[in-house]
Amino acid sequence: MTRLSKTAVWCAALLLSLLSAQTVARAPAVPVEEMLPVELATVGFESGSGSPVVVLREPASGDVVLISIGSGEALAILLALRDVPTPRPMTHDLLASVIGSLDAEVERVLVDALVGATYTGVIELGVPGREGPVRVDSRPSDALALAVRTGAEILVSPDVLMATRGLEFEGLPESQQVVSALGITVGEVTPDLREALGLPDDPGLVVSRTVGEAEELGLEPGALILEVNGRVPRSPMQFLDLVRGTEPGKRARVRIWQDGETRELQLSTDVPERPTPERNPADGDALEV
């Protein structure tokens, strides 16, 4: 008999919950209206243990939330951030497709509590014919891997934010880093990319994807981020740090090069709205970095 992975079993359980009229919802540990919206920024390592973590940016405080994840989930999130196509659907791609095929929608994922050393999560689904959201208990790592594929809103409880405040983390090696902030996903500019895209010799970071206000203002994949708040981002992780350093109540100033011209965008530091993809996330036309 074929041995199933824990994630595959979890996917099967979620599918059954969607099909069952008797699904028992797990109420969040704190009221949803008290939770804080965050933006999934990147994957890194906790400095002390070296364990993989997903890094969530909380705009109001400038803090980051670090959620411990497994290596498999770390890879799944990185592939989604990069829009890397895979020969066959990975588990979270499959789950997103199954939910969509049932005309359901992942509306929000919640990281609602820290119980001992374990974070708890909830996936909120909009299901046709069901009154109110269907809430499914989930590991936060799986819920976040699903959110990055579907554009679902991510909320964390204040207690989770406080629990991770002050924890140190490290990014991946610079050549492997991919970071999202302000709805802009950036990566390192390699010599091959610089030549292929006709980028100038100025230091900066290449844009691979945009959503929300950045997209509305015309920022496109293949552009070069030259400065954030007057400083040159030398790595994707520094890009995140510069965004986090935006003065409270101010808009982030992002100077870009695009199509042979330079200009400045002023962007809200709020979590950008992410439209639900109308396609398989693995089939995207975004620039791979």
Side-chain angles (χ1 to χ4, degrees), residues 71-273:
S71 57
E73 289 74 29
L75 176 60
I77 291 170
L78 278 174
L79 290 176
L81 284 174
R82 289 178 175 273
D83 276 326
V84 174
T86 55
R88 300 293 297 156
M90 295 183 66
T91 302
H92 299 94
D93 298 317
L94 171 63
L95 181 56
S97 296
V98 168
I99 292 171
S101 70
L102 295 172
D103 293 327
E105 180 182 0
V106 183
E107 296 178 342
R108 296 187 292 199
V109 303
L110 317 174
V111 184
D112 62 332
L114 177 61
V115 181
T118 303
Y119 293 96
T120 63
V122 175
I123 300 172
E124 280 196 356
L125 299 162
V127 180
R130 299 292 294 268
E131 184 176 348
V134 173
R135 290 175 171 148
V136 180
D137 195 13
S138 172
R139 298 187 307 171
S141 56
D142 287 320
L144 294 169
L146 190 57
V148 76
R149 283 162 170 75
T150 61
E153 183 181 21
I154 303 170
L155 301 176
V156 300
S157 72
D159 288 345
V160 169
L161 176 61
M162 290 298 295
T164 64
R165 181 170 286 165
L167 292 179
E168 298 293 331
F169 69 97
E170 301 172 8
L172 300 174
E174 285 189 16
S175 62
Q176 301 174 23
Q177 288 177 12
V178 56
V179 169
S180 289
L182 308 175
I184 306 169
T185 304
V186 299
E188 184 183 46
V189 186
T190 64
D192 288 344
L193 264 180
R194 194 179 292 276
E195 180 179 357
L197 298 173
L199 300 176
D201 292 332
D202 304 69
L205 302 170
V206 67
V207 175
S208 62
R209 181 173 58 178
T210 60
V211 297
E213 187 179 25
E215 182 181 28
E216 292 169 4
L217 291 175
L219 183 60
E220 299 176 350
L224 190 67
I225 302 294
L226 300 171
E227 293 180 356
V228 177
N229 295 326
R231 295 183 59 189
V232 178
R234 302 287 178 175
S235 70
M237 294 303 297
Q238 189 179 20
F239 171 74
L240 176 60
D241 290 339
L242 293 176
V243 169
R244 292 175 58 201
T246 304
E247 293 183 40
K250 301 288 186 179
R251 297 175 75 85
R253 295 178 290 108
V254 182
R255 184 167 166 263
I256 68 166
W257 179 96
Q258 182 172 293
D259 297 330
E261 299 180 352
T262 60
R263 61 189 176 105
E264 183 177 288
L265 307 178
Q266 297 198 16
L267 300 172
S268 169
T269 58
D270 291 343
V271 176
E273 293 187 6

Side-chain angles (χ1 to χ4, degrees), residues 16-17 19-25 130:
L16 289 174
S17 74
L19 297 174
S20 171
Q22 304 299 322
T23 300
V24 178
R130 299 292 294 268

Side-chain angles (χ1 to χ4, degrees), residues 272-289:
E273 293 187 6
R274 300 180 63 94
T276 300
E278 297 178 356
R279 52 176 174 77
N280 187 319
D283 296 334
D285 56 2
L287 176 72
E288 182 181 338
V289 298

